[in-house]
Amino acid sequence: MEETPHKNPFKKPFFDLKELVDSIQEHLGCPATIEDTNHRLNAYSSHGIDADPARIGTIISQRVPEKVINRLWKEGIIPKLIQSDSALRIPHIEDIGLRDRVAIAIRKNKEILGYIWVVEGPKKLTDIQLEQLKEAAGVAIPLMAKIQQNRKRKEENYQDFLWQLLTGQFKNRDEIYEQVHELYLKIPNHFTVLVFYFEQDISQAMEEQISYLITTSQKITNHFLVVMDNELILIASPHPSQSDAKAFDSFITYFTSEIANRFSILGVKGSSGNGYSDFSKAMTSYQEAQKVLELKKYFPEELENVYHYSQLGAFLYIDLIQQELPNEHPAISKIRAYDKLHKSNFLKTLEVFIQKDSNMNEAAKKLFVHTNTLHYRMKRVAEIGEIDLANVHEKLGIYLDLMAQKMTEK
């Protein structure tokens, strides 16, 4: 028997998203949620005692769990949702606690404002009901646009303040906190500044993708985001589930990898400054993060896995050494002269040996030689340069001199 067309219950104005989501549940007979483009929960209807873990997790944390988002990307579901104008059926994915769903994007022209998700029961939605859901997505557009507009207005208010803060435009701490009060900003108890350099200027479309990735990762708690040309700056705190030291390193590697994999944005480099509890120290943390990126540019190999200012160690003093040492270390001069005369590479051998903390096995691996060969070479290096390889201070001095020369050459 054919279904009889009837008036679409969603072809009417709704006061807010809560009223709309309750109406979806009432007319489709399924629990529903409405989330924004970054999968933050905007509204949800009631459900029975048998709600699945994905829905419960979303309601408790007010956003879709990270493991669910990652899986939906991996399965190609979110890209399909973004591209489709119609409702999409998502089959049961047991290991992330997701039962059968129907989802549709809330789309304003080509811009995605959010999504409606409906938990489908044993009785599947009919074609007419799927069309009604599409109508509900249309009704949601002005409601979602209003929320988005309010959020953007708030962000615009603090952008100028943050740039003044990060570039040292305020006279004192009291002036900073006065601005915080006037803008009704909620500042974190403890924070770190993260900086990401992109190979090209960050467009509006890229900024939306960046915001999406940061919000959905749930690896850090981001308080403020600032974009200027090709630089992205975050003022963030560790996510409650992460320790301070590991949270930011983990997020930086995750972010640079995912922004490449999901959105084909390559060559992004990230860093973080020290953590502070006084918001007037934001500029200091910002400068520290910039210092990391500056040094990584000069020493990409040596600082490959270094992201945090506190991990720079002796490299913090390289530019000072570069300015204060007019003459080359005598040992370096002697070994360099020997290499030139005999077409050898003892200076590089010495550099790697010190870099690997005098570990013969690790240095031999890096140089692709046998340990016995390296033992012989280091004996000759000590003789030629008249170096005491057991003296940590002498080795460190030589290494810093080598790095300062490398910086000068670059």
Side-chain angles (χ1 to χ4, degrees):
M1 185 175 178
E2 291 186 5
E3 296 177 73
T4 305
H6 57 276
K7 187 179 177 182
N8 192 319
F10 306 115
K11 280 191 174 180
K12 63 177 184 177
F14 286 86
F15 176 72
D16 58 18
L17 291 173
K18 175 59 178 167
E19 185 183 349
L20 174 60
V21 85
D22 285 342
S23 182
I24 292 170
Q25 185 198 30
E26 178 188 349
H27 292 288
L28 301 186
C30 304
T33 56
I34 298 177
E35 61 195 49
D36 70 12
T37 185
N38 291 324
H39 306 290
R40 289 175 293 210
L41 187 62
N42 283 145
Y44 63 95
S45 69
S46 60
H47 56 247
I49 58 172
D50 61 340
D52 63 28
R55 180 175 170 84
I56 292 169
T58 299
I59 292 170
I60 289 172
S61 63
Q62 293 294 289
R63 66 176 67 204
V64 180
E66 183 184 7
K67 66 176 183 179
V68 176
I69 296 167
N70 289 341
R71 186 60 177 278
L72 294 175
W73 271 97
K74 188 177 178 181
E75 299 289 338
I77 292 166
I78 290 177
K80 284 180 185 174
L81 261 179
I82 291 170
Q83 294 163 11
S84 176
D85 289 326
S86 303
L88 182 70
R89 273 203 164 88
I90 295 106
H92 177 77
I93 307 176
E94 185 175 355
D95 58 319
I96 58 170
L98 190 83
R99 292 187 192 152
D100 291 345
R101 293 284 200 281
V102 172
I104 189 166
I106 301 167
R107 186 188 309 275
K108 184 180 181 183
N109 300 322
K110 291 184 178 180
E111 183 185 4
I112 304 295
L113 301 179
Y115 306 93
I116 299 176
W117 291 79
V118 172
V119 182
E120 210 172 21
K123 187 180 178 182
K124 303 302 178 189
L125 296 181
T126 66
D127 290 343
I128 288 176
Q129 287 176 315
L130 292 176
E131 280 300 312
Q132 290 175 343
L133 187 59
K134 186 174 180 178
E135 188 69 38
V139 170
I141 291 172
L143 300 173
M144 293 295 289
K146 186 177 179 181
I147 292 171
Q148 188 183 64
Q149 188 178 22
N150 290 339
R151 185 176 289 130
K152 282 183 177 177
R153 191 179 294 117
K154 184 179 177 184
E155 288 172 356
E156 285 168 4
N157 287 340
Y158 72 64
Q159 290 283 323
D160 287 343
F161 162 72
L162 288 174
W163 268 116
Q164 291 175 52
L165 174 70
L166 295 171
T167 54
Q169 302 302 309
F170 292 105
K171 295 174 185 176
N172 52 50
R173 184 178 181 276
D174 290 342
E175 198 174 277
I176 292 170
Y177 278 88
E178 186 180 327
Q179 275 287 93
V180 166
H181 180 71
E182 285 180 10
L183 292 169
Y184 299 100
L185 295 178
K186 184 179 179 182
I187 59 174
N189 294 325
H190 196 267
F191 68 92
T192 297
V193 175
L194 283 76
V195 176
F196 292 90
Y197 280 165
F198 288 65
E199 290 186 345
Q200 69 271 38
D201 284 357
I202 300 169
S203 65
Q204 181 62 41
M206 286 170 67
E207 189 174 341
E208 288 170 4
Q209 292 163 348
I210 288 163
S211 177
Y212 175 89
L213 200 56
I214 292 167
T215 307
T216 58
S217 77
Q218 298 171 40
K219 294 184 182 299
I220 61 169
T221 301
N222 182 51
H223 305 286
F224 303 106
L225 180 154
V226 190
V227 170
M228 178 59 77
D229 299 329
N230 69 330
E231 187 176 79
L232 167 71
I233 304 162
L234 307 178
I235 298 179
S237 303
H239 193 270
S241 64
Q242 306 266 339
S243 68
D244 283 36
K246 292 181 180 178
F248 299 120
D249 284 5
S250 172
F251 174 75
I252 290 167
T253 53
Y254 167 83
F255 179 82
T256 52
S257 171
E258 289 299 306
I259 204 83
N261 293 337
R262 292 190 189 182
F263 306 115
S264 300
I265 301 173
L266 307 175
V268 180
K269 295 177 176 60
S271 65
S272 63
N274 283 327
Y276 296 94
S277 54
D278 184 347
F279 206 55
S280 66
K281 294 288 186 183
M283 182 180 75
T284 303
S285 188
Y286 173 52
Q287 291 172 337
E288 289 168 348
Q290 286 187 311
K291 185 69 175 177
V292 176
L293 288 172
E294 179 192 341
L295 288 170
K296 282 171 77 74
K297 182 174 66 177
Y298 288 113
F299 308 105
E301 184 182 350
E302 293 84 356
L303 299 177
E304 181 182 4
N305 297 314
V306 171
Y307 304 105
H308 198 281
Y309 184 78
S310 64
Q311 298 167 344
L312 288 173
F315 281 89
L316 277 174
Y317 313 105
I318 293 292
D319 50 357
L320 295 175
I321 294 165
Q322 184 189 28
Q323 297 165 24
E324 295 295 329
L325 287 181
N327 299 314
E328 186 173 66
H329 193 290
I332 295 174
S333 298
K334 291 172 186 175
I335 298 168
R336 192 189 301 280
Y338 184 91
D339 280 344
K340 187 175 181 181
L341 182 63
H342 296 276
K343 304 277 193 287
S344 55
N345 201 14
F346 283 162
L347 198 58
K348 179 65 178 177
T349 301
L350 176 60
E351 180 187 325
V352 172
F353 177 74
I354 302 172
Q355 192 181 84
K356 294 298 180 182
D357 199 21
S358 304
N359 186 311
M360 283 287 182
N361 291 328
E362 290 298 317
K365 284 181 189 175
K366 181 76 182 284
L367 292 164
F368 301 104
V369 298
H370 194 276
T371 48
N372 291 341
T373 303
L374 184 57
H375 273 287
Y376 167 76
R377 286 188 187 178
M378 292 313 301
K379 184 179 178 183
R380 290 292 294 128
V381 166
E383 291 169 355
I384 297 162
E386 299 178 34
I387 305 168
D388 178 6
L389 291 174
N391 187 325
V392 64
H393 305 295
E394 190 170 359
K395 285 187 293 186
L396 182 58
I398 291 169
Y399 184 69
L400 290 174
D401 202 335
L402 285 170
M403 294 301 102
Q405 287 181 19
K406 187 178 285 191
M407 192 178 207
T408 302
E409 289 165 7
K410 288 190 176 183

